[in-house]
Amino acid sequence: MYTVKQIKDTFLNYFEKNGHKIIDGASIVPENDPTLLFINAGMAPMKKVFTGEEAPQAKRMCNIQNCIRTIDIDSIGDRHHLSSFYMLGSWSIGDYFKEGAISYAFELLTKGFSIPKEKLYVTVFSGDEKRKIPADTESIEFWKKVGIADSHIIRCGFEDNFWRIGGDHDAGPCGPCTEMFYDTGAKHGASLEESGIFDDKNRYIEIWNAGVFMEYYQDENGNYSKLNMKSVDTGSGLERMLMTLNGLESAYDTEIFLPIIEYLKNNCSSPIIESLRIIADHVRTSILILNAKVEPSNVKRGYVLRRLIRRAIRHMRTIGLSDDKIPELLDLTMQNMKNIDLEPKWNFSKQEIIEKFMAEFAKFSKTLEQGLKAFNEYVKDEKNIVNNKLDSKIAFKLFDTYGFPLEITKELAKEKNLIVDEKEFNELFEKHREISKTEGTFKSGLADTSEETIKLHTATHLLQAGLRHVLGNYVSQKGSNITPERLRFDFNFERKMTADELKAVEDFVNEAISKEIPVIREEMKLEDAKKTGAIGLFTDKYGDNVSVYTIGNISKELCSGPHVSNTKELGHFKILKEESSSSGIRRIKAVVEK
Ligand code: SER
């Protein structure tokens, strides 16, 4: 049996022997790369090296990089999909190209890992007319040259054999690739020779992307240009390699997961295989993400983490694992990482990681039971189901009220033979997120919702109206912070205000107060809010209801409140100070007095 350590050592030693420098893996949270949530390939932290913008540590390099890929989260629980994995990667930066990469890959697999060449199949890029990228005929020749039979070389199109960092709109270095597959034998289906079909889901398992031939650059409009330098990027999933080399049925049978799966089996009441795998996978990935200093939340990385933790918890319930076993399960997972020589550089103690996981557990476990009950009630009501589809508003409500990530609702629905429309859910999710963001922005930095703070909040709206009246309508809010003692308001204006101007603004506000004007809140569509001339941050992204506060014909602002109901509640408005905040931005501090 191969161990993780043997695979790592064989891989790194082989490339080191062939002149490659062993470099450190990066954190799974990308540095200075807002386009990427998590590092998803060994080359991701060095994109700029391929474009020539950054110098490489060496022309030939290799490493082991922890990667997170949650795009296939629905497939996790099958034989070999995982949400995190370690990538064995090697690179040539402007050094050897197709021939070198292919001969290294072949030699490492057949000699280093002793795989008979008859068990290997390779795919090569067959070209793409629309994008004007030619077929990779050279790689075919190099494969034949090292000894791969023509019948084991499969030509594939853009989707399979052109590697790029994301989709049509993600800019980055890219190129045709050639991948190596291992034949797991007749027990996993018909061979290519028998059926004419290359079954890469079951029988043939991809073990190495033996070369992305980085010679193109895709811009954000999906146009291609040639890079100045030709490079090679390779990557192999360690977990898959371990499973394949050991002839195992699944990645969960390897030393990476086996002790965890065994523990779960011994401590639960109904060991459903899929749930065991999902728990083992998600717990491991959650630990790695928590260790990378990400906290569970409803946005971006934090939301990926939240989904993993919550889905794991729901499956723990499914198999009947008692809550008091969870810390032990986490502890065991971390201990196992150490035992098999696959642990990250710890940023926290084990105890701290367990506490972070359990804090999210505590949040979710409160609503999980109620949510499950609510789900069962919802599906009893026919109006929530049309053509076997659960109303997306229900899926969203389960998220919003009970904290159910979509995967959980989808799984519950599946058990009842129902489907959930992911697209509609995501639309509702985005809309909700944008509204909260907008409301967050326009919460205007309220320190609390005491009576004094609320008065000052309404005064802030009047102040903004006054500034626009006196200085011009181009003036607008750039920041706001309100405590019970004072308001602080930042706005764009290029110079110090004169005493007269300040007096005029003060008078404007006090006049509005003396007129005893009601403050009216209305909910309306964003589109309609725009038409009313309300001020605030408008973006195209969000849809339905926003709230708008109107004070007579003086002020109309997109705002989530709260506000007083009539300006007469404010008392006397007084500006204390006007000063520079930063370049082109002025700051006013003001109070209201009885
Ligand atoms: N970047 C390539 C991949 O992810 C090779 O590592 O497959």
Side-chain angles (χ1 to χ4, degrees):
M1 279 291 217
Y2 273 97
T3 61
V4 165
K5 185 156 174 22
Q6 281 164 346
I7 294 185
K8 281 167 58 177
D9 290 349
T10 306
F11 179 87
L12 293 175
N13 290 344
Y14 175 80
F15 279 104
E16 193 179 35
K17 191 182 82 201
N18 285 291
H20 294 67
K21 178 174 178 192
I22 301 175
I23 60 170
D24 286 339
S27 160
I28 50 173
V29 172
E31 273 174 35
N32 305 323
D33 186 352
T35 65
L36 207 57
L37 275 190
F38 289 106
I39 293 299
N40 58 0
M43 60 75 70
M46 42 175 130
K47 279 191 240 171
K48 288 190 171 158
V49 166
F50 292 96
T51 55
E53 291 162 89
E54 266 172 26
Q57 291 188 43
K59 281 189 158 193
R60 295 177 177 211
M61 297 175 284
C62 59
N63 79 0
I64 315 269
Q65 172 67 50
N66 190 196
C67 300
I68 308 282
R69 283 190 193 174
T70 50
I71 179 123
D72 292 328
I73 194 163
D74 289 341
S75 310
I76 292 161
D78 71 1
R79 278 168 62 207
H80 51 72
H81 274 96
L82 301 171
S83 55
S84 65
F85 61 99
Y86 284 84
M87 190 181 264
L88 311 166
S90 67
W91 299 279
S92 150
I93 309 297
D95 194 18
Y96 60 85
F97 200 45
K98 293 180 183 177
E99 182 164 19
I102 287 173
S103 56
Y104 285 142
F106 183 81
E107 187 177 53
L108 175 58
L109 289 194
T110 54
K111 295 221 177 89
F113 290 114
S114 311
I115 302 179
K117 70 175 180 188
E118 294 70 33
K119 286 236 163 233
L120 294 174
Y121 285 70
V122 300
T123 56
V124 293
F125 182 55
S126 59
D128 187 276
E129 270 181 36
K130 196 179 87 197
R131 296 179 175 88
K132 298 196 183 69
I133 302 174
D136 180 9
T137 50
E138 292 151 326
S139 289
I140 297 179
E141 293 314 312
F142 296 134
W143 281 120
K144 285 189 200 160
K145 194 168 156 191
V146 292
I148 296 281
D150 195 27
S151 58
H152 284 212
I153 303 176
I154 297 111
R155 284 91 170 144
C156 298
F158 189 85
E159 288 311 322
D160 291 317
N161 276 63
F162 191 89
W163 201 86
R164 50 185 182 167
I165 286 152
D168 280 336
H169 300 291
D170 298 299
C174 54
C177 63
T178 183
E179 300 183 336
M180 303 182 81
F181 291 75
Y182 181 84
D183 181 1
T184 59
K187 65 175 190 280
H188 291 123
S191 69
L192 172 63
E193 290 75 11
E194 287 157 1
S195 65
I197 294 167
F198 185 63
D199 174 10
D200 63 356
K201 296 278 169 298
N202 296 304
R203 176 149 179 166
Y204 303 100
I205 300 290
E206 187 208 322
I207 49 171
W208 197 356
N209 192 344
V212 178
F213 300 122
M214 297 282 187
E215 55 174 325
Y216 295 97
Y217 182 83
Q218 177 186 287
D219 70 17
E220 51 277 3
N221 301 319
N223 299 318
Y224 294 88
S225 55
K226 281 258 176 154
L227 289 169
N228 290 336
M229 174 172 71
K230 290 182 182 177
S231 300
V232 178
D233 157 44
T234 86
S236 167
L238 170 64
E239 292 77 356
R240 267 197 209 179
M241 196 70 131
L242 188 63
M243 152 187 141
T244 315
L245 289 174
N246 288 327
L248 296 170
E249 182 57 27
S250 105
Y252 297 96
D253 298 329
T254 64
E255 61 174 349
I256 301 175
F257 292 107
L258 205 54
I260 323 298
I261 300 274
E262 287 302 315
Y263 175 87
L264 289 170
K265 272 191 194 158
N266 293 335
N267 287 285
C268 75
S269 48
S270 36
I272 302 160
I273 186 90
E274 202 192 1
S275 294
L276 300 176
R277 289 175 174 182
I278 290 173
I279 298 168
D281 171 87
H282 287 15
V283 163
R284 175 192 192 220
T285 306
S286 305
I287 289 171
L288 295 168
I289 299 181
L290 283 168
N291 184 51
K293 303 185 183 165
V294 176
E295 299 281 339
S297 75
N298 277 346
V299 289
K300 301 194 170 166
R301 293 180 188 112
Y303 189 51
V304 172
L305 175 60
R306 169 159 287 170
R307 282 157 62 204
L308 291 166
I309 296 181
R310 292 188 173 196
R311 189 163 179 239
I313 292 168
R314 127 109 171 121
H315 282 275
M316 290 174 193
R317 292 281 152 96
T318 308
I319 62 167
L321 181 82
S322 73
D323 296 349
D324 56 5
K325 297 283 179 210
I326 304 174
E328 209 169 68
L329 171 70
L330 270 88
D331 191 64
L332 175 70
T333 306
M334 290 186 270
Q335 187 55 44
N336 191 53
M337 291 176 179
K338 185 174 163 60
N339 295 348
I340 61 170
D341 191 28
L342 207 52
E343 56 178 348
K345 187 179 144 294
W346 295 109
N347 289 316
F348 299 104
S349 69
K350 275 195 204 156
Q351 197 46 38
E352 283 168 327
I353 301 242
I354 293 173
E355 276 162 21
K356 285 171 189 288
F357 189 101
M358 293 313 282
E360 179 65 8
F361 167 82
K363 271 193 199 137
F364 187 47
S365 63
K366 274 199 221 117
T367 57
L368 178 58
E369 294 308 323
Q370 290 159 287
L372 290 172
K373 268 202 208 106
F375 173 83
N376 288 326
E377 289 302 314
Y378 289 140
V379 292
K380 276 191 207 140
D381 189 342
E382 308 185 335
K383 75 173 184 316
N384 292 329
I385 294 159
V386 182
N387 294 337
N388 274 351
K389 189 185 113 186
L390 180 68
D391 188 338
S392 302
K393 288 205 196 74
I394 299 291
F396 184 71
K397 198 170 164 96
L398 285 166
F399 162 75
D400 197 27
T401 312
Y402 302 103
F404 279 27
L406 181 64
E407 291 80 26
I408 294 186
T409 304
K410 266 168 77 179
E411 283 171 356
L412 292 170
K414 204 166 147 199
E415 286 160 17
K416 306 254 181 230
N417 284 326
L418 299 174
I419 53 162
V420 184
D421 189 325
E422 207 163 320
K423 199 167 152 259
E424 271 178 29
F425 174 88
N426 286 338
E427 276 163 20
L428 290 170
F429 184 76
E430 275 307 311
K431 207 182 282 178
H432 167 85
R433 193 144 78 180
E434 287 299 338
I435 290 173
S436 353
K437 199 159 85 195
T438 311
E439 291 187 342
T441 313
F442 285 87
K443 274 221 169 60
S444 318
L446 265 59
D448 56 40
T449 47
S450 65
E451 208 178 304
E452 290 309 311
T453 304
I454 295 174
K455 282 184 193 172
L456 284 164
H457 187 200
T458 307
T460 303
H461 281 218
L462 293 175
L463 169 64
Q464 171 152 236
L467 287 165
R468 288 161 68 92
H469 177 76
V470 174
L471 305 175
N473 274 342
Y474 70 97
V475 168
S476 67
Q477 173 173 336
K478 294 292 173 236
S480 171
N481 172 288
I482 306 170
T483 67
E485 287 78 38
R486 56 105 186 103
L487 70 82
R488 194 183 80 195
F489 184 78
D490 291 353
F491 56 101
N492 56 310
F493 191 57
E494 55 288 343
R495 61 167 167 81
K496 188 162 181 59
M497 285 173 70
T498 65
D500 284 351
E501 284 165 343
L502 286 170
K503 171 97 178 33
V505 171
E506 239 176 35
D507 288 349
F508 179 94
V509 174
N510 283 319
E511 199 184 322
I513 294 172
S514 69
K515 280 190 185 153
E516 305 193 349
I517 310 168
V519 180
I520 313 277
R521 175 179 184 271
E522 286 166 289
E523 274 205 17
M524 60 181 88
K525 288 219 161 60
L526 180 75
E527 270 311 304
D528 296 335
K530 262 186 200 171
K531 283 183 205 141
T532 65
I535 57 172
L537 180 74
F538 290 98
T539 77
D540 292 337
K541 271 198 180 158
Y542 48 100
D544 282 355
N545 294 342
V546 292
S547 68
V548 171
Y549 279 87
T550 307
I551 310 176
N553 57 6
I554 294 176
S555 157
K556 199 180 264 300
E557 278 195 45
L558 206 65
C559 177
S560 62
H563 284 280
V564 300
S565 50
N566 189 299
T567 58
K568 72 177 176 204
E569 293 167 47
L570 297 188
H572 185 76
F573 175 78
K574 192 161 170 243
I575 293 179
L576 300 178
K577 208 171 188 182
E578 190 270 348
E579 61 191 351
S580 163
S581 160
S582 60
S583 161
I585 308 290
R586 308 293 303 174
R587 170 168 288 181
I588 279 180
K589 287 189 183 146
V591 291
V592 284
E593 299 162 332
K594 291 246 161 56

